């Protein structure tokens, strides 16, 4: 399986340097269909995106992403992933343990 | 199941007693599973917090280094160097079982590479680009680790929630309703017995 990166040109260049081949450089408005396409790709094991890009996606897609295991979505920067996990912990355990 | 739907017979009473016993043992087992999952979750939680902060630090470092490389070598040089890379990091997803919850185990290969394995010429690039590539390789390693731990946590949380719902449903809905039905049948059977005794006395009289 492979890693995939989606984001603007500034965000993805570094991952190209690390050897990641599945790079999706997107401009405004292309993010949602691209993420949907990647989520259906069986070859992608981990999807990397910026936290601010995640916040731009529609609520339903964000929900799908937070529940997705294959591919697992890892966000960098912003406060996307940690706040997602925080909400999930609050909902499941009943206490905010992510402090 | 409402009390009104219950037939007040002895066989039904025996059946309900069996159901109560089964529900109580199921409730006990599920409670144990929930506690076990919460213990596992606590172990993973501290790891996840550490990995998240390491990941954020690695991302900051990598962004800083690529910023410097872009400033010194120029964006086009960095981009063309990035396109020259040949080997890609591979990951393998395996699964392991934590108390019935299947969680992924991610193995990675060829993430960290030495300068001559990267595929671009050493003379054409500066050490800043190498440092940026190094920082991003380190970031990818952290991402793979974070993906494993965060997915495990998500799956554990899902299962904790599911088990908690089941425990609550048994504790506050299923078992009380069955007990209510048992009491109803008992009282109804006693009442029927009293009616019978009265009828017999009446016939005798």
């Amino acid at each position: 399986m492979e890693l995939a990166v989606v984001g603007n040109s500034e965000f993805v260049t570094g991952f190209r340097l690390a050897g990641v081949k599945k790079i999706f450089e997107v401009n405004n408005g292309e993010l949602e269909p691209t993420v949907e396409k990647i989520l259906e790709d069986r070859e992608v094991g981990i999807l990397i995106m910026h936290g601010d890009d995640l916040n731009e996606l529609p609520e339903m897609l964000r929900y799908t992403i937070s529940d997705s295991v294959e591919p697992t979505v890892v966000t960098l920067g912003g406060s996307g992933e940690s706040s997602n996990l925080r909400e999930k912990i609050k909902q499941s355990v009943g206490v905010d343990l992510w402090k | 199941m409402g009390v009104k739907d219950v037939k007040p017979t002895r066989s039904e009473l025996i059946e309900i007693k069996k159901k109560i016993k089964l529900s109580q043992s199921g409730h006990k087992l599920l409670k144990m599973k929930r506690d076990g999952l919460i213990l596992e979750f606590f172990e993973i939680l501290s790891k996840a917090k550490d990995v998240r902060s390491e990941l954020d630090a690695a991302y900051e470092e990598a962004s800083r280094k690529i910023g410097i490389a872009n400033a010194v070598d120029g964006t086009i040089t960095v981009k063309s160097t990035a396109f020259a890379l040949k080997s890609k990091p591979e990951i393998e997803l395996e699964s392991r079982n934590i108390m019935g919850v299947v969680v992924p185990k991610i193995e990675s290969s060829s993430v960290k590479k030495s300068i001559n394995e990267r595929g671009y010429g050493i003379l054409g690039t500066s050490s800043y680009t190498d440092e940026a590539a190094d920082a991003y390789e380190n970031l990818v390693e952290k991402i793979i680790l974070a993906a494993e731990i965060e997915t495990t946590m998500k799956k554990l949380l899902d299962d904790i929630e599911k088990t908690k719902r089941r425990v609550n449903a048994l504790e506050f809905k299923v078992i009380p309703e069955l007990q209510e039905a048992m009491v109803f049948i008992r009282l109804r059977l006693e009442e029927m017995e009293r009616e019978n005794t009265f009828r017999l006395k009446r016939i005798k009289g």
Side-chain angles (χ1 to χ4, degrees), chain B residues 46-71:
Chain B
S46 54
K47 270 191 214 167
K49 277 185 193 169
D50 293 344
V51 165
R52 223 337 112 175
S53 55
E54 277 173 30
L55 186 65
D56 289 341
Y59 177 58
E60 248 176 62
E61 174 79 0
S63 305
R64 197 175 57 81
K65 286 201 167 152
I66 201 150
I68 296 172
N70 277 333

Side-chain angles (χ1 to χ4, degrees), chain A residues 17-79:
Chain A
L17 267 180
V20 180
K21 293 286 172 201
K22 286 212 170 192
I23 301 274
F24 299 87
E25 214 174 300
V26 290
N27 298 313
N28 289 344
E30 293 171 356
L31 186 67
E32 194 188 330
T34 314
V35 171
E36 278 170 356
K37 202 176 88 188
I38 300 168
L39 289 177
E40 282 165 18
D41 190 343
R42 310 302 306 160
E43 269 300 296
V44 176
I46 298 172
L47 168 65
I48 306 162
M49 64 191 298
H50 197 275
D52 295 337
D53 286 342
L54 180 79
N55 292 335
E56 274 179 28
L57 293 172
E59 186 74 37
M60 274 305 288
L61 191 55
R62 260 193 315 214
Y63 185 75
T64 315
I65 283 175
S66 73
D67 267 8
S68 168
V69 175
E70 253 181 70
T72 300
V73 181
V74 179
T75 58
L76 299 168
S79 60

Side-chain angles (χ1 to χ4, degrees), chain A residues 1 45-46 69-70 72, chain B residues 44 47 90-98 101-109 141 143-153 155:
Chain A
M1 284 187 133
I46 298 172
V69 175
E70 253 181 70
T72 300
Chain B
I44 298 272
K47 270 191 214 167
E90 290 277 351
I91 50 168
E92 260 177 58
L93 280 174
E94 286 171 24
S95 56
R96 66 195 168 101
N97 200 318
I98 303 176
V101 187
V102 182
V103 295
K105 189 166 167 44
I106 306 174
E107 298 280 344
S108 60
S109 59
E141 266 190 345
I143 286 171
I144 292 167
L145 190 64
E148 184 184 318
I149 291 176
E150 285 180 3
T151 312
T152 304
M153 210 159 87
K155 292 203 102 183

Side-chain angles (χ1 to χ4, degrees), chain B residues 75-141:
Chain B
T75 319
I76 295 168
T77 316
V78 175
K79 267 193 182 175
S80 61
T81 310
F83 276 107
L85 260 95
K86 280 174 191 157
S87 63
K88 57 182 180 184
E90 290 277 351
I91 50 168
E92 260 177 58
L93 280 174
E94 286 171 24
S95 56
R96 66 195 168 101
N97 200 318
I98 303 176
M99 308 194 80
V101 187
V102 182
V103 295
K105 189 166 167 44
I106 306 174
E107 298 280 344
S108 60
S109 59
S110 52
V111 178
K112 281 253 178 200
K113 295 175 278 285
S114 60
I115 291 180
N116 42 6
E117 279 172 342
R118 283 191 187 135
Y120 56 78
I122 304 166
L123 294 175
T125 54
S126 75
S127 62
Y128 295 107
T129 311
D130 294 335
E131 275 181 22
D134 221 34
Y136 267 92
E137 281 169 4
N138 186 34
L139 177 64
V140 168
E141 266 190 345

